Amino acid sequence: MSKKQQNAIKLESTTKWSQKSILSVSQFTHDGIATVFELADYLKAMDRAILRRWNPLSGYVLSNLFFEASTRSRISFASAFQYLGGSVDNTVGVVFSSIAKGESLSDTIRVVQGYVDVIVLRHFTVGSARIAADNSAIPIINAGDGIGEHPTQALLDLYTIYSEAQRLSKLTIAVVGDLQHGRTVHSLVDLMGMYDQIHIVAIAPQALQLPESSMRNLKKQGVRVTQTDDFQTGIAQADVVYMTRLQRERFESESDYERFEKLYILNQSLVESVCKPSVVVMHPLPRTGEIHTDVDDLPQAAYFRQTNNGLYVRMALFLLVLLSPNELREQLNAV
Ligand code: NCD
């Protein structure tokens, strides 16, 4: 990246992020999001060799506290931090933490905040990230609180939509699958509601439709929402099809889960014969059969580009949260 391009980075609202916890998409503002995207674009275009020498977060330590299953989120948060020169401590699973001994989340957080500079938390309880932030003097990043929210996933989803569709307004977005339990969908639809002329097509059986809280928020934001269980009609009108898996671990019984299994499967023939040619196919992953592998090589399949974007969006967030605006400016000048 040339000096000229570097100087073109405006980063007007870096103070909005500095030392703040990231708990919910309701905290985000248009210019705060624009700042994250600008920085993510910069990091994505940066030469890896230059990135390896940069080390803007040298001396910083991250605690990755994951009390629920994760591959992408945990590794991308960790790699993002390490590419920036910081060190990461991973605590994975209840069995290997003091939660197994009966420690409360607030006690765990009070202790861990004394050891590190930032905590990324995935926990099985809705509102856990808020409890953590209330007990912490350092920033908490919510990496999923039960069926609640997943705000950094929503940011990387939005960044992907922007990169693929080249706009964030006048979009029809079909969200498909387990909309009741899918926290990535809850965060994404809330975030999309901030933009103009968004139409959300929520495709799910009645029992797995968007929760009341999401519907209320969308109504408040004046977003057009169509709820349907008709997969083909729903995806036919979409600019973005956002598939999700059934959240098996959230169902009360296995037979409940089995009722809905294999309900909606997107395959190559549907993408090519039903969807718009320009459709962007997304999925937060992991998939469990709802996108056939024959879609993977189509240009419309954006889900692996989407996971990749997570690295840059999370790098941008760490820089914005941990460095003061002046420190960030200095670090960017030193690249
Ligand atoms: C999602 C999650 O954990 O909510 N995964 C992710 O972070 N990319 C989606 C899921 O588990 O279905």
Side-chain angles (χ1 to χ4, degrees):
M1 179 132 320
S2 71
K3 267 274 176 265
K4 200 163 154 211
Q5 278 169 303
Q6 275 173 39
N7 293 338
I9 294 202
K10 296 192 294 297
L11 299 175
E12 271 156 10
S13 63
T14 56
T15 42
K16 286 213 164 77
W17 296 98
S18 191
Q19 290 303 316
K20 303 262 168 47
S21 289
I22 301 175
L23 307 177
S24 161
V25 296
S26 61
Q27 298 168 251
F28 300 160
T29 60
H30 285 107
D31 57 343
I33 293 169
T35 300
V36 175
F37 287 7
E38 199 185 351
L39 200 49
D41 278 345
Y42 174 78
L43 294 161
K44 197 171 174 178
M46 197 173 185
D47 188 277
R48 269 291 154 94
I50 295 177
L51 176 61
R52 284 185 220 287
R53 286 195 299 271
W54 187 26
N55 294 327
L57 294 186
S58 168
Y60 284 84
V61 182
L62 158 70
S63 166
N64 241 352
L65 278 182
F66 276 70
F67 298 122
E68 268 194 338
S70 170
T71 301
R72 267 149 298 275
S73 300
R74 181 176 47 79
I75 297 178
S76 68
F77 273 115
S79 290
F81 209 75
Q82 291 174 110
Y83 273 123
L84 295 170
S87 318
V88 182
D89 181 76
N90 280 299
T91 299
V92 181
V94 171
V95 235
F96 293 107
S97 75
S98 285
I99 287 201
K101 299 179 186 168
E103 184 171 57
S104 67
L105 176 66
S106 49
D107 275 5
T108 300
I109 296 295
R110 278 188 195 191
V111 172
V112 175
Q113 59 150 1
Y115 300 152
V116 301
D117 301 290
V118 57
I119 295 172
V120 172
L121 176 70
R122 171 165 292 186
H123 195 277
F124 39 85
T125 308
V126 175
S128 49
R130 161 61 58 199
I131 293 171
D134 289 344
N135 285 281
S136 174
I138 62 167
I140 303 290
I141 298 182
N142 181 6
D145 59 329
I147 64 165
E149 278 213 50
H150 196 346
T152 67
Q153 176 75 38
L155 272 183
L156 78 89
D157 290 344
L158 194 72
Y159 181 75
T160 303
I161 293 171
Y162 185 66
S163 316
E164 302 278 329
Q166 314 295 331
R167 65 185 193 282
L168 287 174
S169 57
K170 297 198 183 123
L171 285 169
T172 296
I173 301 178
V175 287
V176 186
D178 188 352
L179 312 181
Q180 175 69 224
H181 304 112
R183 56 194 171 200
T184 69
V185 170
H186 303 162
S187 289
L188 180 63
V189 296
D190 264 11
L191 196 55
M192 288 309 313
M194 289 173 58
Y195 294 86
D196 292 335
Q197 297 181 56
I198 297 298
H199 178 195
I200 302 282
V201 182
I203 306 173
Q206 192 53 41
L208 300 181
Q209 264 295 345
L210 285 172
E212 264 311 303
S213 52
S214 295
M215 290 303 289
R216 259 197 317 274
N217 278 342
L218 289 167
K219 195 164 173 210
K220 208 162 69 195
Q221 289 167 305
V223 179
R224 183 174 161 215
V225 183
T226 306
Q227 291 180 293
T228 178
D229 61 2
D230 180 345
F231 185 46
Q232 295 210 15
T233 312
I235 60 174
Q237 42 182 321
D239 300 300
V240 175
V241 173
Y242 190 94
M243 299 294 294
T244 64
R245 74 179 169 99
L246 287 184
Q247 306 274 305
R248 186 177 201 150
E249 67 279 27
R250 317 271 185 216
F251 282 81
E252 289 197 351
S253 71
E254 194 60 18
S255 59
D256 262 3
Y257 165 78
E258 280 161 7
R259 275 200 299 152
F260 302 114
E261 209 191 351
K262 311 256 179 292
L263 204 53
Y264 304 122
I265 298 175
L266 188 67
N267 57 26
Q268 175 171 8
S269 133
L270 285 175
V271 173
E272 289 180 338
S273 61
V274 174
C275 294
K276 289 184 177 179
S278 60
V279 72
V280 180
V281 178
M282 296 175 61
H283 193 306
L285 300 181
R287 64 175 153 183
T288 51
E290 55 284 338
I291 300 183
H292 195 283
T293 50
D294 67 7
V295 178
D296 294 1
D297 293 329
L298 301 179
Q300 292 93 337
Y303 32 96
F304 291 115
R305 294 192 287 278
Q306 181 184 355
T307 52
N308 228 28
N309 286 335
L311 182 69
Y312 305 107
V313 168
R314 288 174 172 139
M315 282 167 89
L317 288 172
F318 282 131
L319 288 172
L320 289 165
V321 167
L322 288 173
L323 300 181
S324 70
N326 279 344
E327 284 168 335
L328 181 55
R329 173 63 55 211
E330 271 170 33
Q331 286 293 348
L332 287 169
N333 285 338
V335 172

